Amino acid sequence: AAGRVRERRDLRREAFIQWLPSVPTGTTVAMEACSGAHHWAREFAKFGHTARLIAPKFVTPYRLSGKKGKNDAADAQAICEAAGRPNMRFVPIKTLDQQGQLLIHRARQGFVEQRTATLNRIRGLLSEFGIVLPLKAAVVRREALQHLEDLPGWTNTVVGDLLSEVSRLDERIAQYDQHIAGLAKADTAAQQLMRLPGVGPVTATALLSTIGQGRDFSNGRQLSAWLGLVPGQYSSGGKQRLGHITKAGDSYLRSLLVLGARAVLVAAKNKTDPISRWATALAERRGYWRAVVAIAAKNARMCWAVLSRGDAFRLPV
């Protein structure tokens, strides 16, 4: 309690899990939120301990040896120091179901990135033969297929194989879309989130698997700030200076909300509800991209309200 070190031990994983039962029940076990951290946190709970996961960026300032003096002992000391701060922010511990659902999103996003890389590879190879294609994926598929028979030698084989790989990735992505649709259909909270404009099955299930019911945030603005959808502040001397959005937090969730916001803005031109009128007026006053980010931030706040209030939340009519 006084902050003094009572004991130092150097244990590997197997020895650590064997030593853990000898630790008094109710001990707080702090660690960085890294790969495997949620698994270890669940293991600590089995022994009656309280797990505290801290984001690495909050631990680094407490490392006395600085950024270049990183080692296990210095990290452990910094984690202990950070965990004792009264205003420290801790990472919520995910359940097995949450991690399993999040893996679906990670795998799907990996297939999407592979497909994009393969299409860009096709564009690069064809440009070597004077065939320059635009960035749009559908055009690349169509044009590459049309030029396939005219390509010389091994080029035909290579481009044909790459197009087959794109088709295979399309099938895998479609399968994972079905998995996500099934998750959303079976979850009441996901169904409530999908009532919001710009929130589909992918965004709803990704939010639930990442933040759960959102109880770690006091209000919707905290969630929006955690996602990096609020402007960064450079204020001093009583003068407020707001810059670009911080882009902190989960980039995957932020990109999903931004894509949903773009869809909302496109559809708002033909609607008369309060949110659509506000979005249209904002785009005219501040420009397209500022309006998109503002809609995404507003959606994040409404998502928090849906998760925290449940059926009590109603959209303005």
Side-chain angles (χ1 to χ4, degrees), residues 17 33 41 50 89 98 115 127 147 151-152 196 207 218 309:
I17 200 68
T50 303
R89 301 171 186 172
Q98 280 183 297
R115 183 176 63 182
S127 67
H147 289 92
L151 296 175
L196 300 175
L207 271 169
S218 300
R309 299 176 188 173

Side-chain angles (χ1 to χ4, degrees), residues 37-51:
H38 295 278
H39 163 74
W40 280 104
R42 292 190 293 268
E43 291 295 319
F44 299 153
K46 293 178 182 178
F47 295 102
H49 303 313
T50 303

Side-chain angles (χ1 to χ4, degrees), residues 48-90:
H49 303 313
T50 303
R52 289 286 183 264
L53 307 185
I54 310 173
K57 66 178 182 180
F58 293 142
V59 174
T60 302
Y62 293 98
R63 193 186 301 125
L64 297 180
S65 51
K67 292 183 178 180
K68 295 184 178 180
K70 179 177 172 59
N71 55 61
D72 290 343
D75 281 346
Q77 185 176 0
I79 292 170
C80 289
E81 187 69 25
R85 299 302 92 201
N87 296 321
M88 180 53 60
R89 301 171 186 172
F90 299 105

Side-chain angles (χ1 to χ4, degrees), residues 261-288:
R262 294 179 66 178
V264 169
L265 190 55
V266 170
K269 299 176 182 178
N270 303 319
K271 295 183 178 180
T272 58
D273 60 278
I275 293 179
S276 297
R277 294 199 305 269
W278 166 78
T280 303
L282 183 62
E284 293 174 354
R285 187 174 71 253
R286 298 293 292 165
Y288 176 80

Side-chain angles (χ1 to χ4, degrees), residues 101-235:
Q101 292 179 17
L102 198 56
L103 285 181
I104 295 177
H105 286 272
R106 294 291 181 259
R108 178 187 177 276
Q109 188 63 15
F111 290 135
V112 171
E113 292 174 358
Q114 289 179 36
R115 183 176 63 182
T116 303
T118 305
L119 288 170
N120 286 335
R121 188 172 295 114
I122 292 173
R123 292 181 63 250
L125 292 175
L126 291 180
S127 67
E128 298 286 344
F129 298 90
I131 304 172
V132 180
L133 302 180
L135 289 173
K136 192 173 181 179
V139 178
V140 174
R141 299 167 196 258
R142 184 179 66 248
E143 296 292 329
L145 193 59
Q146 290 177 358
H147 289 92
L148 190 60
E149 296 300 327
D150 301 328
L151 296 175
W154 288 102
T155 308
N156 179 287
T157 303
V158 172
V159 174
D161 288 343
L162 290 174
L163 287 172
S164 298
E165 181 67 11
V166 171
S167 299
R168 186 189 69 83
L169 291 170
D170 286 337
E171 294 175 359
R172 299 297 289 174
I173 293 169
Q175 289 176 357
Y176 275 80
D177 285 338
Q178 292 178 0
H179 297 331
I180 291 173
L183 290 174
K185 187 176 181 180
D187 196 312
T188 304
Q191 293 292 323
Q192 292 174 344
L193 286 173
M194 289 165 60
R195 297 175 188 170
L196 300 175
V199 178
V202 177
T203 305
T205 54
L207 271 169
L208 285 170
S209 59
T210 304
I211 67 171
Q213 297 301 315
R215 296 190 181 95
D216 295 283
F217 302 97
S218 300
N219 50 53
R221 191 183 187 284
Q222 280 193 359
L223 174 59
S224 183
W226 179 74
L227 291 170
L229 288 170
V230 299
Q233 289 204 35
Y234 305 90
S235 306

